[in-house]
């Protein structure tokens, strides 16, 4: 069998392809096209989601600085490695910011040319009717006798416009005479929704960036009966945005009047499980106006430009320490951190002045104390039914004058002398509310006055959260439009045939459209009904 004369053999042994060389501009153009492709945008969006995972697996300095310190203590070999790659500052790390910015650029590079193309398509007329409609996925044909072509075409235009199609009429001279047709299309709202979806994604990225840059997050533990002022010095931890101005803090104070917890009492399988938390607060603004409020889980209190969230709660035993002369050297409500569901809590008391030696006390608080067969204490219920506080006493240099920050929730006992508990032969101090015990070595006395509750609040300011919500709703609207609005074209061709006309109906969808045949059938039915009305 001979080859045709115009055959070109592309065998590598016979033909060498001389591909053009790309210069710097060519490579830059190729890189830009790759970055701004929709495939790259989707991959970057997936990469951003994966990159955010470490932020939920390890504590972050911006949200839980104490947790980071504890992680270093528990994982001394792994923590420095993670810190070197920014795992404790995921959302401000170089690699996370790089993915974020590349996604931002990629989406903009996708959106702008598609928007321009979509704008031109909206202004353009529907395409001309194909010559062979029988090849279309949806096709029907019928003959109408004793009817003028003008009436048939007018009826087709009327029906299609009534169904919100963009309509244009065409005429074509053929050997069968002048063939008239109507070309219609609709569904551009689908592409509008697609563009709205991607534009809103960019809007969310911008809103998150603006909110993170100009907002702040702060945490503060407040004991019942106490209050805190919304100032930088009052926060236990404070994480400002890069562009946040501390002078912009709203001037108000928040007092915790009461903290109540409803516990499950009926279901024995869930006895003691918290059902509801309610923090009753009083807000006092700079002009002296006061107003009551409540803060619940997932129900923040709005004050000025900040939202106040309830994060946690526990007990803060009110402890008073006196020297041998009876003078008060320490009196404070000490928050104890819950260790289990029954609020067995661990706390530290530091007494740096007023006694012969500096004292550190490490204690456990049991809201409803019970004793195991081993002699160890446990709490069997989270409410104050039989509260007991136990303390081990240490003496020595607490390191408070060394200049290094110390956590109020931890005590380094490695350089201290233990005075009670352990191998000292002296029992740990045990107190119930209202009781007083002598400190060892005649150092003084300690009293458990009462046991108020504390609440941990997070104060959050995000100036762009309204925009983030708006763009999120726009994302949802765009997604619904792009999923449920069909993009299709319909044609009606009218060809003279004897004393009447032959009418062809056809449709073509962009993408999958299971309703295309039904749409063509509905067009035929509505058109024939319209022709019947105008027929003389």
């Amino acid at each position: 069998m001979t080859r045709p004369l115009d055959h070109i053999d592309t065998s590598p042994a016979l033909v060498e392809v001389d591909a053009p060389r790309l210069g710097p501009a060519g490579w830059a153009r190729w890189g830009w096209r790759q970055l701004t492709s929709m495939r790259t945008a989707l991959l970057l969006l997936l990469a951003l989601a994966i990159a955010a995972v470490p932020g939920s697996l390890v504590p972050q300095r911006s949200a839980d600085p104490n947790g980071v310190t504890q992680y270093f203590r528990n994982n001394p070999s792994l923590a420095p490695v993670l810190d070197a790659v920014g795992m404790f500052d995921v959302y401000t790390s170089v690699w996370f910011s790089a993915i974020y910015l590349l996604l931002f650029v990629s989406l903009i590079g996708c959106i702008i040319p598609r928007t321009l193309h979509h704008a031109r398509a909206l202004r353009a007329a529907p395409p001309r009717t194909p010559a062979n409609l029988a090849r279309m996925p949806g096709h029907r044909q019928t003959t109408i006798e004793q009817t003028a072509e003008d009436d048939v075409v007018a009826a087709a235009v009327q029906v299609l416009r009534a169904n919100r199609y963009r309509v244009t009429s065409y005429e074509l001279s053929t050997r069968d005479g002048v063939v008239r047709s109507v070309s219609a299309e609709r569904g551009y709202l689908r592409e509008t929704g697609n563009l709205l979806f991607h534009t809103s994604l960019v809007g969310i990225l911008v809103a998150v960036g603006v909110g993170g840059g100009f907002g702040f997050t702060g945490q503060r533990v407040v004991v019942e009966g106490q209050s805190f002022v919304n100032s930088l010095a009052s926060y236990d931890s404070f994480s400002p945005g890069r562009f946040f101005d501390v002078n912009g803090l709203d001037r108000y104070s928040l007092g915790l009047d009461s903290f109540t917890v409803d516990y499950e009492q009926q279901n024995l399988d869930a006895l003691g499980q918290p059902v509801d938390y309610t923090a009753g607060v009083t807000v006092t603004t700079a002009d002296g106006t006061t107003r009551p409020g409540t803060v619940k889980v997932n129900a923040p209190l709005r004050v000025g430009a900040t939202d106040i969230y309830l994060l946690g709660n526990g007990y803060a035993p009110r402890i008073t320490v006196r020297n041998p002369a009876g003078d008060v050297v320490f009196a404070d409500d000490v928050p104890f951190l819950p260790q289990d569901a029954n609020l067995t809590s661990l706390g530290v008391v530091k007494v740096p002045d007023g006694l012969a030696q500096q004292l550190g006390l490490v204690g456990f608080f049991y809201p409803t104390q019970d004793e195991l067969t081993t002699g160890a204490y446990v709490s069997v219920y989270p409410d104050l039914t039989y509260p007991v506080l136990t303390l081990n006493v240490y003496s020595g240099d607490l390191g408070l004058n060394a200049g290094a920050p110390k956590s109020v929730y931890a005590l380094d006992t490695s350089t201290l002398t233990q005075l009670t508990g352990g191998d000292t032969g002296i029992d740990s101090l045990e107190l119930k509310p209202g009781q007083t015990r002598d400190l060892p070595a005649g150092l003084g006395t300690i009293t458990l006055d009462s046991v108020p509750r504390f609440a941990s609040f997070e104060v959050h300011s995000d100036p762009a959260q309204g925009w983030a919500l708006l763009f999120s709703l726009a994302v949802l609207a765009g997604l619904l439009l792009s999923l449920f609005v069909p993009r299709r074209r319909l044609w009606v061709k009218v060809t003279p045939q004897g004393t009447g006309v032959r009418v062809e109906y056809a449709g073509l969808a962009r993408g999958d459209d299971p309703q295309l045949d039904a749409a063509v059938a509905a067009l035929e039915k509505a058109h024939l009904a319209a022709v019947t009305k105008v027929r003389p």
Side-chain angles (χ1 to χ4, degrees):
M1 183 175 181
T2 59
R3 295 176 177 176
L5 295 177
D6 59 348
H7 173 78
I8 299 177
D9 196 332
T10 59
S11 173
L14 302 177
V15 178
E16 293 184 3
V17 178
D18 187 13
R21 294 181 179 275
L22 293 178
W27 281 111
R29 189 181 300 109
W30 178 85
W32 174 254
R33 288 176 178 174
Q34 297 302 311
L35 178 61
T36 57
S37 67
M38 188 55 62
R39 178 179 58 185
T40 301
L42 293 175
L43 289 175
L44 287 172
L45 189 61
L46 176 62
L48 189 70
I50 296 174
V53 171
S56 61
L57 297 180
V58 297
Q60 300 295 295
R61 285 193 175 91
S62 59
D64 187 12
N66 290 330
V68 175
T69 303
Q70 187 65 38
Y71 195 93
F72 270 83
R73 186 179 294 112
N74 296 339
N75 305 273
S77 58
L78 177 61
V81 177
L82 296 180
D83 193 25
V85 295
M87 286 300 175
F88 299 110
D89 301 282
V90 168
Y91 306 112
T92 56
S93 64
V94 174
W95 49 271
F96 189 88
S97 300
I99 298 174
Y100 186 91
L101 293 175
L102 283 175
L103 176 61
F104 187 81
V105 173
S106 179
L107 286 174
I108 292 178
C110 290
I111 291 169
I112 292 177
R114 288 181 60 182
T115 301
L116 297 176
H117 177 77
H118 184 55
R120 289 193 294 266
L122 288 175
R123 295 193 301 268
R128 300 184 69 88
T129 305
N132 189 359
L133 290 182
R135 300 175 59 184
M136 294 295 106
H139 178 261
R140 288 174 176 266
Q141 179 176 306
T142 188
T143 300
I144 303 176
E145 297 291 344
Q146 305 298 324
T147 305
E149 291 181 45
D150 291 342
D151 293 338
V152 175
V153 172
V157 171
Q158 177 186 355
V159 169
L160 289 168
R161 284 180 175 167
N163 285 277
R164 301 189 302 277
Y165 282 87
R166 299 169 56 216
V167 181
T168 301
S169 299
Y170 292 102
E171 292 186 0
L172 179 64
S173 298
T174 66
R175 60 184 181 183
D176 297 326
V178 177
V179 176
R180 302 180 63 183
S181 66
V182 178
S183 179
E185 64 179 350
R186 76 173 186 182
Y188 278 94
L189 197 60
R190 183 189 188 101
E191 179 65 12
T192 302
N194 204 333
L195 291 172
L196 176 63
F197 173 81
H198 290 92
T199 303
S200 300
L201 278 181
V202 175
I204 290 176
L205 293 176
V206 174
V208 170
V210 171
F214 291 91
F216 74 89
T217 299
Q219 290 83 31
R220 174 61 190 259
V221 172
V222 184
V223 181
E224 283 181 307
Q226 298 182 3
S227 62
F228 88 98
V229 178
N230 187 35
S231 64
L232 183 60
S234 298
Y235 284 98
D236 296 326
S237 63
F238 190 81
S239 302
R242 183 168 299 178
F243 309 108
F244 177 73
D245 182 7
V246 176
N247 297 323
L249 285 172
D250 293 320
R251 300 182 181 275
Y252 65 85
S253 66
L254 179 77
L256 179 60
D257 302 324
S258 64
F259 189 87
T260 57
V261 184
D262 295 330
Y263 294 105
E264 177 61 49
Q265 303 286 343
Q266 304 298 325
N267 184 359
L268 296 181
D269 293 333
L271 185 67
Q273 294 294 319
V275 177
D276 187 38
Y277 299 102
T278 303
V281 300
T282 297
V283 178
T284 305
T285 56
D287 59 2
T289 303
T290 62
R291 66 179 176 93
T294 58
V295 186
K296 290 176 172 287
V297 178
N298 296 326
L301 176 66
R302 183 74 174 179
V303 181
T306 62
D307 291 307
I308 302 174
Y309 295 86
L310 179 62
L311 291 185
N313 67 93
Y315 292 101
R318 186 163 296 156
I319 297 172
T320 300
V321 178
R322 293 178 173 85
N323 62 19
D327 300 324
V328 175
V329 297
F330 177 90
D332 202 359
D333 300 313
V334 183
F336 276 49
L337 300 181
Q339 305 296 303
D340 57 30
N342 288 320
L343 294 188
T344 299
S345 304
L346 172 66
V348 171
V349 181
K350 298 179 182 180
V351 186
D353 302 305
L355 299 177
Q357 305 177 59
Q358 290 188 345
L359 291 186
L361 300 93
V362 179
F364 280 93
F365 177 73
Y366 308 92
T368 303
Q369 181 261 340
D370 196 7
E371 187 173 353
L372 300 177
T373 56
T374 59
Y377 286 172
V378 295
S379 177
V380 295
Y381 191 73
D383 207 359
L384 292 176
T385 304
Y386 188 71
V388 173
L389 173 65
T390 63
L391 294 166
N392 281 335
V393 184
Y394 297 83
S395 66
D397 185 6
L398 301 179
L400 300 180
N401 298 324
K406 300 287 184 180
S407 171
V408 297
Y409 301 109
L411 178 67
D412 183 7
T413 61
S414 60
T415 60
L416 302 178
T417 301
Q418 187 170 357
L419 302 180
T420 64
D423 298 329
T424 63
I426 302 176
D427 293 337
S428 301
L429 301 181
E430 185 175 313
L431 301 99
K432 298 180 179 64
Q435 290 185 342
T436 300
R437 293 287 183 267
D438 292 330
L439 292 170
L443 292 173
T445 62
I446 183 169
T447 302
L448 176 59
D449 299 308
S450 60
V451 186
R453 298 196 74 132
F454 74 82
S456 176
F457 294 106
E458 178 177 278
V459 182
H460 181 71
S461 173
D462 184 353
Q465 63 180 356
W467 288 103
L469 175 61
L470 178 63
F471 285 125
S472 297
L473 295 176
V475 163
L476 180 60
L479 183 62
L480 292 177
L481 288 174
S482 63
L483 288 177
F484 296 108
V485 174
R487 174 80 179 274
R488 64 169 69 115
R489 291 170 177 169
L490 295 179
W491 294 280
V492 178
K493 181 186 287 188
V494 181
T495 305
Q497 181 173 297
T499 59
V501 293
R502 184 177 78 251
V503 184
E504 292 181 82
Y505 308 91
L508 179 65
R510 183 172 183 176
D512 294 332
D513 186 357
Q515 300 298 319
L516 181 62
D517 287 337
V520 176
L523 171 62
E524 179 187 23
K525 181 178 179 181
H527 180 237
L528 293 177
V531 170
T532 302
K533 289 182 181 180
V534 300
R535 181 182 294 172

